[in-house]
Amino acid sequence: MTVRARSTVLAACAAAAALVLAGCGGGEKADDAGAGASPGSAPAALGPIPAIKPADVKPLVGRWVGTAKDFFQFKADGTGVWVRSGQKLWSGTAIPEGGGKYRFSWQGGDPKTASYWGVSLSEKNTKLVFAGTNQTYTKAVAHKGKGKG
């Protein structure tokens, strides 16, 4: 890869990160989480978050680590966070769409359609791809028994 190509890739990643940060309001308040990210979309377009079955999100549960020192972490109830450098970039609910795809709640509601604000799992659930940046995350290994004793 040439220096120019690397610069272009880095610029694209920086632009995507800036869009994500601008769109989520830094993750401080769920009500403002998507302000400005989708111009023209009214909050009325959001539906209530559906009931999440633990079986539907089981493959997603755990911590998924990226190469940019960021991670996603999901619980059995479908709630999750995206954190980078100690800052919460998103928090909400992963809503199953089927086929290993999940859309993220937005502004406290369900956008009802797939968008760049979601993830998909690989066939064997070993990799997670965030559609917002097209970056791949790997599942962190749980260290059972550490810290006891």
Side-chain angles (χ1 to χ4, degrees), residues 86-112:
Q87 182 178 5
K88 196 181 296 182
L89 302 176
W90 169 82
S91 64
T93 304
I95 303 163
E97 293 188 320
K101 292 186 179 194
Y102 301 83
R103 66 183 176 273
F104 290 166
S105 63
W106 196 251
Q107 298 178 338
D110 180 2
K112 298 181 188 175

Side-chain angles (χ1 to χ4, degrees), residues 62-82:
R63 182 178 288 218
W64 297 85
V65 181
T67 57
K69 297 185 180 179
D70 64 329
F71 66 89
F72 285 94
Q73 186 157 342
F74 298 97
K75 296 180 183 177
D77 63 359
T79 59
V81 294
W82 179 28

Side-chain angles (χ1 to χ4, degrees), residues 46 52 63 65 84 93 122 129:
L46 297 173
I52 306 297
R63 182 178 288 218
V65 181
R84 180 171 183 185
T93 304
S122 66
V129 176

